[in-house]
Amino acid sequence: MIGPDIDRLIQLLAKLPGLGPRSARRAALHLIKKRDILMLPLADALATAARTIVVCPICGNLDSREPCTLCSDPRRDDSILCVVEDVADLWALERSGAFRGRYHVLGGTLSALDGVGPDDLRITSLVQRATGTAVREVVLALNATVDGQTTAHYVTERLADCAITVSRLAHGVPLGGELDYLDDGTLATALRARRPM
Amino acid sequence: MIGPDIDRLIQLLAKLPGLGPRSARRAALHLIKKRDILMLPLADALATAARTIVVCPICGNLDSREPCTLCSDPRRDDSILCVVEDVADLWALERSGAFRGRYHVLGGTLSALDGVGPDDLRITSLVQRATGTAVREVVLALNATVDGQTTAHYVTERLADCAITVSRLAHGVPLGGELDYLDDGTLATALRARRPM
């Protein structure tokens, strides 16, 4: 006999990834206890974001401005384009602070199983951008999964006619990784791609 | 370089119990993808709940009506009162469907470490309710922790002058529990409290 307003809140919270029914109940109680400092600001942040967030028409990033902050930043390098699967990957690369070029979000990977074909991804607009005079290199920062690598090969083919370099992220031992725990494929790849000290 | 609106949303989501920075980012992307069926309804549910949810002045439950649905349900048994630590425990008992009496939420347990004394809990109002003519039994459904049991003993003492039965939940082997994995204390308690087949 939970009241209808709390019940509805719990049902909706339980739909968030990472929250099940039990943690949704805990989150709801936590929110009610912190009504002014968390519940109302969160309601407001959700409503604001729902109103303002748009997909950047150039790169596919999510932002409240159009074009997005990254596309409209004049200090970024126009000559190098980093292709990612998803906005989450773009954020991960931005957190690393290692890339100062522009991005292009594909919006997924090719997947025969899930019925995702080339037309479902933002590949045509990538080819258009890569054909532009500014771009000299496209870095494919796709997941090292079967679908990610299939997509990388397909995108490479589609970019074959552009006079640009197409590269991909290096494979190897992750920093802090212990060899003992690494899979055979990664170890073999890291050995083949060994570098002089 | 995440936009300010998304960033604020992620910061707030990360404050929910069970969500860290990484899962908050995932949740934010999920919400933006499901703007109409999840993000806007959740914003609305939060705002509604923040506006309507009150603490029931009788039992301490959370509900959008006052007194709460449980206190105002005429079909429930007025003669038995179940004392719980928190609203989450009340919900757990209601889900079990095994209790048809009234509740009383203490709002915590006595804790010397956390500086929680008897005046910080809803004990005086419990004694008042238990002194009423209707109540014949008080069931202490407190956690089987040191703080929970200390509180149970204290509440029992405070209720000593009322002409009512004070009981507590049974201790023993949980249903589906394997003896092999149970702690010694529970096993010893279950053995002492053995029942005829």
Side-chain angles (χ1 to χ4, degrees):
Chain A
M1 288 295 280
I2 298 180
D5 289 332
I6 303 187
D7 195 43
R8 181 158 162 259
L9 178 61
I10 295 173
Q11 301 294 337
L12 288 166
L13 285 172
K15 289 186 185 163
L16 292 181
L19 288 185
R22 184 177 292 267
S23 41
R25 283 194 294 269
R26 239 177 90 214
L29 282 177
H30 185 79
L31 282 162
I32 294 169
K33 276 176 196 159
K34 309 215 161 183
R35 202 176 298 223
D36 290 328
I37 62 165
L38 186 55
M39 198 176 197
L40 287 170
L42 182 58
D44 179 56
L46 282 164
T48 307
R51 203 177 54 243
T52 62
I53 304 297
V54 285
V55 176
C56 173
I58 300 176
C59 72
N61 187 14
L62 294 167
D63 204 335
S64 19
R65 52 190 288 189
E66 195 178 343
C68 75
T69 318
L70 298 172
C71 284
S72 42
D73 184 347
R75 290 164 305 175
R76 297 190 76 106
D77 185 353
D78 279 319
S79 71
I80 182 161
L81 211 57
C82 181
V83 176
V84 291
E85 204 177 303
D86 207 345
V87 175
D89 301 331
L90 186 159
W91 290 352
L93 280 162
E94 274 302 287
R95 278 199 302 282
S96 80
F99 183 72
R100 297 297 300 161
R102 308 286 181 184
Y103 288 96
H104 192 89
V105 181
L106 285 184
T109 46
L110 297 176
S111 167
L113 267 179
D114 297 334
V116 181
D119 295 339
D120 302 314
L121 305 180
R122 305 177 69 256
I123 294 180
T124 310
S125 60
L126 169 66
V127 176
Q128 274 166 12
R129 288 181 79 185
T131 318
T133 46
V135 178
R136 285 184 297 105
E137 179 175 356
V138 166
V139 185
L140 301 176
L142 298 169
N143 291 336
T145 55
V146 173
D147 283 348
Q149 294 311 298
T150 311
T151 312
H153 283 291
Y154 179 81
V155 170
T156 309
E157 260 175 48
R158 286 287 295 270
L159 292 171
D161 294 339
C162 310
I164 52 164
T165 312
V166 179
S167 56
R168 62 156 176 83
L169 295 185
H171 293 314
V173 182
L175 297 201
E178 299 185 39
L179 297 194
D180 204 14
Y181 289 94
L182 272 184
D183 63 295
D184 300 346
T186 304
L187 266 183
T189 310
L191 193 61
R192 274 199 304 272
R194 64 192 178 278
R195 303 278 288 271
M197 284 288 281
Chain B
M1 287 295 280
I2 297 181
D5 289 332
I6 302 188
D7 196 42
R8 179 157 165 259
L9 178 60
I10 294 173
Q11 301 293 338
L12 288 166
L13 284 172
K15 289 187 184 162
L16 292 181
L19 288 186
R22 185 177 292 266
S23 40
R25 284 195 295 270
R26 240 178 90 214
L29 282 177
H30 185 80
L31 282 162
I32 294 168
K33 276 176 196 160
K34 308 216 162 182
R35 202 177 297 222
D36 290 328
I37 61 164
L38 186 54
M39 197 175 197
L40 287 170
L42 182 57
D44 179 56
L46 283 164
T48 307
R51 201 177 56 242
T52 63
I53 303 297
V54 286
V55 176
C56 172
I58 301 177
C59 73
N61 187 15
L62 295 167
D63 204 335
S64 17
R65 52 190 287 188
E66 196 178 342
C68 75
T69 318
L70 297 173
C71 284
S72 42
D73 185 347
R75 289 164 306 174
R76 297 191 77 104
D77 186 353
D78 279 319
S79 70
I80 184 161
L81 212 57
C82 182
V83 177
V84 291
E85 205 176 304
D86 208 346
V87 175
D89 301 332
L90 187 159
W91 290 352
L93 280 162
E94 274 301 288
R95 278 198 303 282
S96 80
F99 184 70
R100 297 298 300 162
R102 306 286 181 186
Y103 288 96
H104 192 88
V105 180
L106 285 184
T109 46
L110 297 176
S111 166
L113 268 180
D114 297 333
V116 181
D119 295 339
D120 301 314
L121 305 179
R122 305 176 70 255
I123 294 181
T124 309
S125 62
L126 170 65
V127 176
Q128 274 166 10
R129 287 181 81 186
T131 316
T133 46
V135 178
R136 286 184 296 107
E137 180 175 355
V138 167
V139 184
L140 301 176
L142 299 169
N143 291 337
T145 55
V146 172
D147 283 348
Q149 295 309 300
T150 311
T151 312
H153 282 291
Y154 180 81
V155 170
T156 310
E157 260 175 48
R158 287 285 297 268
L159 292 172
D161 294 338
C162 309
I164 52 163
T165 311
V166 180
S167 56
R168 63 156 176 81
L169 295 186
H171 293 316
V173 183
L175 297 201
E178 297 186 40
L179 298 194
D180 204 13
Y181 288 94
L182 271 183
D183 62 295
D184 300 346
T186 304
L187 267 183
T189 310
L191 193 61
R192 276 200 301 274
R194 63 191 178 280
R195 303 281 287 271
M197 285 290 281

